[in-house]
């Protein structure tokens, strides 16, 4: 037992030491270097460790695929900056205390950087140090800080567009809740990362300024200490302490320069499919013709008299060899043409009933460039998205839509597609595989280069862009989607808008068969005892035409069971079902317990319309002049509702609801018309606009 306890404690300590003590120990070491005097050997060790850390950070920054893969980088910047500054403090103490003893007073690393790298000439050392500081401070640090600042601002500006894209994919059934939650977390992490990088870049900038000040203080302090305390002459003190100070500055400035380069690499990354090295090779050395052209130019320069001919011609030969190697590789990869085998001759066959094919309910025809998106053998992405659309539709609307029959159509443009309903085209568009569609939701910070177009689903202005411009477009506020998502979203929007037409007799019977498994007696009492399947289908279609979900089938069937003995009219039955579903209808339009801010009719206009309905019976109509005025004012009121971010809902008496809904639907498709009886008693109503009167 005792041995087991000892082993457990040792294991716990080992794990704790490996995982949790690294950070605290590093901070303690940094603080100790600022307070405690260090021997020259310890300085050599820590300076070497500082150089190694900076190299590791730069290599990691070059190898990551995307900035979030190195999310700890802002903290690394802070820690490495503190490490360098603490080493500066420790080395300054040793230089001032032991500098009079010779160039090796502060360790071999400082001596090497101060003596061998600059040849023991402190004037040359000062120039080299100044140049390094200028490179770090003026070029790299300033540029990286500006990029981080802009990236942070653009990332924050792009967050609403990215959130809208996630919500659109979720609503279309393209992704699940877990994937949506993961994407939202990634967006939040991106905003936090670039915000932290914006602040962390100031650490590097401040480190460069501190390096200059520390060097000046050390030079002046060394002169005072050498002359006043150690009775050295001014020339000897200046040479000794300046060389030590320059060595100290160089050994700290070079790792700072490396860290600054790493910061610039992280914040300037574009794309997340390759690391920096892969992107560099793949994008710079891809076109052999450009390599040959460069080789020719360098070769011509090498032929000019007075130029270093050997160097130029050697480089030209090397470039030509690289171009030849790339061109040879492209030829090897290029597929060989395959001769098509002759088709066997077929005898002409007589026509038969087999030639009469059933018309597809839903069809999708694609051009030949879109075939990979719908190819089963290639696991086409659009196929998976269409399956997700059907599943999402069944969950939200309440019945299973017919399968989408996909076929290629060589008469279409290569990138075109066409969506058919019962053989009739209801939508068309173009998609470009390999490119991305940047959709302008209304507020973008800039323009991205590409082919201007419109989003086929909602008609918003959009641009087809290269994949490399994804992050830039998102930073400007665009909603960026791929080609399969464009097609799937368009298909989903059309399926939702034509849901009533997709509910045929066969789908209705399948729905009843499904419901009969859960409530067989209730279904049997309604269909076919009280209602025919045709009337039942008409009621469901009426609901779907106005965007009412069929998920609550129990309430629908129970309401029909109560009302059907008194009336067989589909319109009357629909009105009663809507009243029963009033709570869910109101919840869909005004989520939660929110106040229902609706439009209403002027009382005088309402009386006129009620008289028209009472006098016209089932064929009631609106006088043309009155209809024109009503339509014009309804359109204006709906626009005002949308401008303030409210749903366009018109509240009218029950007798007018069907008439006004059908009359206004064509001109204002987003308008929902509710009857007074459909509003739950516990909901608060506030009229925001009056049609036919003053607002």
């Amino acid at each position: 037992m005792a041995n087991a306890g000892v082993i457990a404690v040792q294991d716990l300590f080992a794990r704790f030491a490996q995982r949790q003590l690294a950070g605290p120990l590093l901070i303690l070491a940094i603080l100790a270097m600022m307070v405690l005097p260090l021997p020259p050997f310890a300085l050599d060790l820590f300076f070497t460790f500082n150089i190694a850390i900076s190299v590791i950070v730069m290599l990691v920054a070059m190898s990551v695929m995307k900035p979030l893969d190195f999310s700890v980088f802002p903290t690394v910047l802070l820690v490495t900056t503190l490490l360098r500054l603490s080493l500066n403090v420790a080395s300054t103490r040793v230089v001032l205390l032991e500098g009079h003893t010779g160039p090796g007073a502060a360790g071999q690393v400082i001596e090497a950087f101060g003596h061998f790298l600059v040849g023991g000439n402190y004037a040359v050392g000062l120039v080299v140090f100044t140049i390094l500081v200028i490179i770090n401070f003026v070029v790299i640090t300033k540029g990286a800080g500006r990029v981080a600042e802009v990236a942070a601002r653009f990332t924050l500006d792009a967050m609403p567009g990215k959130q809208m894209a996630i919500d659109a994919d979720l609503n279309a059934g393209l992704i699940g809740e877990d994937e949506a939650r993961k994407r939202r977390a990634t967006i939040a992490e991106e905003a936090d990362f670039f915000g932290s990088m914006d602040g962390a870049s100031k650490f590097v900038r401040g480190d460069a300024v501190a390096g200059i000040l520390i060097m000046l203080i050390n030079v002046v302090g060394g002169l005072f200490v050498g002359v006043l305390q150690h009775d050295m002459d001014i020339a000897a003190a200046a040479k000794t302490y300046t060389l030590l100070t320059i060595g100290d500055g160089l050994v700290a400035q070079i790792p700072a320069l490396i860290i600054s380069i790493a910061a610039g690499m992280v914040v300037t990354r574009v794309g997340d499919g390759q690391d920096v090295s892969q992107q560099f090779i793949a994008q710079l050395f891809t076109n052999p013709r450009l390599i040959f052209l460069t080789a020719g130019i360098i070769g011509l320069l090498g032929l000019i008299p007075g130029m270093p001919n050997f160097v130029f011609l050697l480089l030209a030969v090397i470039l030509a060899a690289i171009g030849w190697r790339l061109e040879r590789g492209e030829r090897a990869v290029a597929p060989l043409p395959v001769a098509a085998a002759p088709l066997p001759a077929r005898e002409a066959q007589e026509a038969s009933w087999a030639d009469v094919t059933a018309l597809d309910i839903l069809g999708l025809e694609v051009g030949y460039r879109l075939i990979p998106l719908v190819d089963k053998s290639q696991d086409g992405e659009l196929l998976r998205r269409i399956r997700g659309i059907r599943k999402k539709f069944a969950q939200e609307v309440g019945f299973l839509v017919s399968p989408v029959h996909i076929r290629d159509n060589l008469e279409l443009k290569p990138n075109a597609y066409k969506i058919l309903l019962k053989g009739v085209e209801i939508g068309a568009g173009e998609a470009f595989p390999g490119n991305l569609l940047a959709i302008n939701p209304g507020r973008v910070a800039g323009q991205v280069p590409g082919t201007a177009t419109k989003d086929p689903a909602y008609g918003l202005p959009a641009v087809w862009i290269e994949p490399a411009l994804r992050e830039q477009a998102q930073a400007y506020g665009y909603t960026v989607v791929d080609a399969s998502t464009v097609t799937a979203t368009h298909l989903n929007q059309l399926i939702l808008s034509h849901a009533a037409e997709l509910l045929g007799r066969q789908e209705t019977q399948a729905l009843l068969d499904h419901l009969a498994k859960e409530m067989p007696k209730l279904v049997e009492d309604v269909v076919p005892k009280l209602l025919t399947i045709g009337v039942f289908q008409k009621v469901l279609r009426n609901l779907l035409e106005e965007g009412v979900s069929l998920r609550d089938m129990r309430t629908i069937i129970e309401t029909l069971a109560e009302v059907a003995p008194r009336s067989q009219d589909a319109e009357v039955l629909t009105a009663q079902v809507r009243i029963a579903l009033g709570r869910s209808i109101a919840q869909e339009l005004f989520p939660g317990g929110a106040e229902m801010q609706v439009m209403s009719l002027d009382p005088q206009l309402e009386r006129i319309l009620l008289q028209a309905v009472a006098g016209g019976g089932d064929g009631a109509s609106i006088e043309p002049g009155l209809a024109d005025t009503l339509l014009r004012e309804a359109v204006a009121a709906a626009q005002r509702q949308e401008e303030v971010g409210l749903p366009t809902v018109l509240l009218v008496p029950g007798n007018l609801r069907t008439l006004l809904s059908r009359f206004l639907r064509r001109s204002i498709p987003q308008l929902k018309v509710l009857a007074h009886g459909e509003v739950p008693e516990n909901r608060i109503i506030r009229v925001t606009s009056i049609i036919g009167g003053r607002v």
Side-chain angles (χ1 to χ4, degrees), residues 82-389:
L82 287 176
L83 178 61
R84 286 193 301 274
L85 293 176
S86 63
L87 282 173
N88 280 135
V89 174
S91 61
T92 297
R93 183 187 298 109
V94 175
V95 167
L96 295 180
L97 289 175
E98 308 293 339
H100 64 283
T101 61
Q108 295 182 1
V109 174
I110 291 178
E111 182 183 4
F113 275 82
H115 186 73
F116 295 107
L117 290 186
V118 297
N121 191 325
Y122 63 87
V124 175
L126 285 174
V127 173
V128 172
F129 177 81
T130 304
I131 292 173
L132 288 176
V133 170
I134 290 174
I135 294 173
N136 190 13
F137 183 76
V138 179
V139 181
I140 301 175
T141 304
K142 188 175 182 180
R146 178 58 179 167
V147 172
E149 180 184 352
V150 174
R153 186 171 72 248
F154 282 179
T155 301
L156 291 174
D157 293 341
M159 284 188 68
K162 294 180 180 179
Q163 295 284 3
M164 289 174 60
I166 295 171
D167 294 338
D169 288 348
L170 181 62
N171 295 331
L174 307 180
I175 58 174
E177 288 286 347
D178 295 337
E179 179 66 18
R181 195 177 297 108
K182 183 180 178 182
R183 291 188 183 182
R184 292 192 184 99
T186 302
I187 293 172
E189 289 176 3
E190 286 181 353
D192 293 340
F193 174 77
F194 285 108
S196 298
M197 281 300 302
D198 184 21
S201 62
K202 305 300 189 294
F203 297 147
V204 183
R205 191 174 179 87
D207 182 35
V209 177
I212 299 174
L213 297 177
I214 290 172
M215 186 196 70
L216 294 175
I217 293 171
N218 283 352
V219 170
V220 176
L223 287 175
F224 276 100
V225 171
V227 174
L228 299 179
Q229 293 187 4
H230 300 290
D231 298 326
M232 300 173 66
D233 57 60
I234 296 178
K239 182 177 180 180
T240 301
Y241 287 98
T242 303
L243 281 176
L244 287 172
T245 300
I246 290 171
D248 183 21
L250 288 175
V251 80
Q253 201 62 39
I254 290 176
L257 182 62
I258 296 174
I259 293 291
S260 300
I261 295 172
M265 287 183 178
V266 170
V267 298
T268 56
R269 286 296 311 274
V270 177
D272 56 4
Q274 297 175 318
D275 59 32
V276 173
S277 301
Q278 293 171 332
Q279 287 183 327
F280 187 84
I281 298 297
Q283 298 181 22
L284 200 59
F285 297 98
T286 55
N287 194 337
R289 290 176 296 177
L290 298 180
I291 304 296
F292 283 131
L293 182 60
T294 306
I297 295 172
I298 297 297
L300 290 175
L301 291 174
L303 297 177
I304 298 175
M307 297 290 287
N309 307 99
F310 176 75
V311 175
F312 275 79
L313 293 176
L314 178 62
L315 184 58
V317 171
I318 294 173
L319 289 173
I322 294 174
W324 176 78
R325 185 75 178 268
L326 291 174
E327 190 175 30
R328 185 182 176 186
E330 287 184 355
R331 291 175 181 175
V333 173
L336 297 174
V338 180
L343 296 175
R346 297 179 61 182
E347 296 182 0
Q349 298 180 354
E350 293 290 336
S352 66
W353 283 107
D355 297 320
V356 181
T357 58
L359 201 61
D360 297 330
I361 304 297
L362 273 175
L364 174 64
E365 297 182 355
V366 298
Y368 69 86
R369 288 183 182 172
L370 301 183
I371 292 177
L373 297 179
V374 295
D375 189 358
K376 286 185 179 180
S377 62
Q378 302 182 37
D379 192 22
E381 187 177 358
L382 186 55
L383 290 178
R384 299 196 304 271
R385 293 183 180 273
I386 290 175
R387 288 194 291 268
I389 287 173

Side-chain angles (χ1 to χ4, degrees), residues 325-533:
R325 185 75 178 268
L326 291 174
E327 190 175 30
R328 185 182 176 186
E330 287 184 355
R331 291 175 181 175
V333 173
L336 297 174
V338 180
L343 296 175
R346 297 179 61 182
E347 296 182 0
Q349 298 180 354
E350 293 290 336
S352 66
W353 283 107
D355 297 320
V356 181
T357 58
L359 201 61
D360 297 330
I361 304 297
L362 273 175
L364 174 64
E365 297 182 355
V366 298
Y368 69 86
R369 288 183 182 172
L370 301 183
I371 292 177
L373 297 179
V374 295
D375 189 358
K376 286 185 179 180
S377 62
Q378 302 182 37
D379 192 22
E381 187 177 358
L382 186 55
L383 290 178
R384 299 196 304 271
R385 293 183 180 273
I386 290 175
R387 288 194 291 268
I389 287 173
R390 294 185 69 229
K391 184 176 181 179
K392 189 75 171 178
F393 182 89
Q395 294 172 347
E396 293 185 351
V397 181
F399 74 95
L400 185 62
V401 72
S402 303
V404 181
H405 293 268
I406 305 172
R407 60 175 60 89
D408 61 313
N409 187 348
L410 298 180
E411 296 180 358
L412 295 175
K413 294 180 180 180
N415 294 99
Y417 65 88
K418 187 165 59 175
I419 301 170
L420 307 174
L421 176 61
K422 300 177 182 178
V424 180
E425 179 182 330
I426 59 174
E430 284 188 296
F432 296 87
N435 289 353
L436 301 173
L437 185 65
I439 304 171
N440 183 357
R443 295 174 59 187
V444 294
Q447 300 295 325
V448 291
T451 305
T453 183
K454 285 189 176 182
D455 171 36
Y458 302 102
L460 297 174
V463 182
W464 283 105
I465 62 174
E466 297 291 334
L469 299 175
R470 173 196 286 269
E471 294 185 0
Q472 180 183 349
Q474 290 177 339
Y476 285 163
Y478 287 89
T479 301
V480 183
V481 294
D482 58 17
S484 61
T485 302
V486 171
T487 309
T489 304
H490 193 190
L491 178 63
N492 180 65
Q493 188 264 339
L494 290 175
I495 290 177
L496 289 173
S497 60
H498 293 81
E501 298 180 60
L502 294 172
L503 183 67
R505 185 67 63 92
Q506 184 176 348
E507 288 78 14
T508 306
Q509 186 61 58
L511 178 60
L512 287 171
D513 294 341
H514 174 71
L515 294 172
K517 298 177 182 179
E518 299 180 0
M519 36 188 174
K521 184 62 177 174
L522 181 59
V523 173
E524 184 183 352
D525 289 343
V526 176
V527 182
K529 288 185 178 181
L530 295 177
L531 296 174
T532 64
I533 190 172

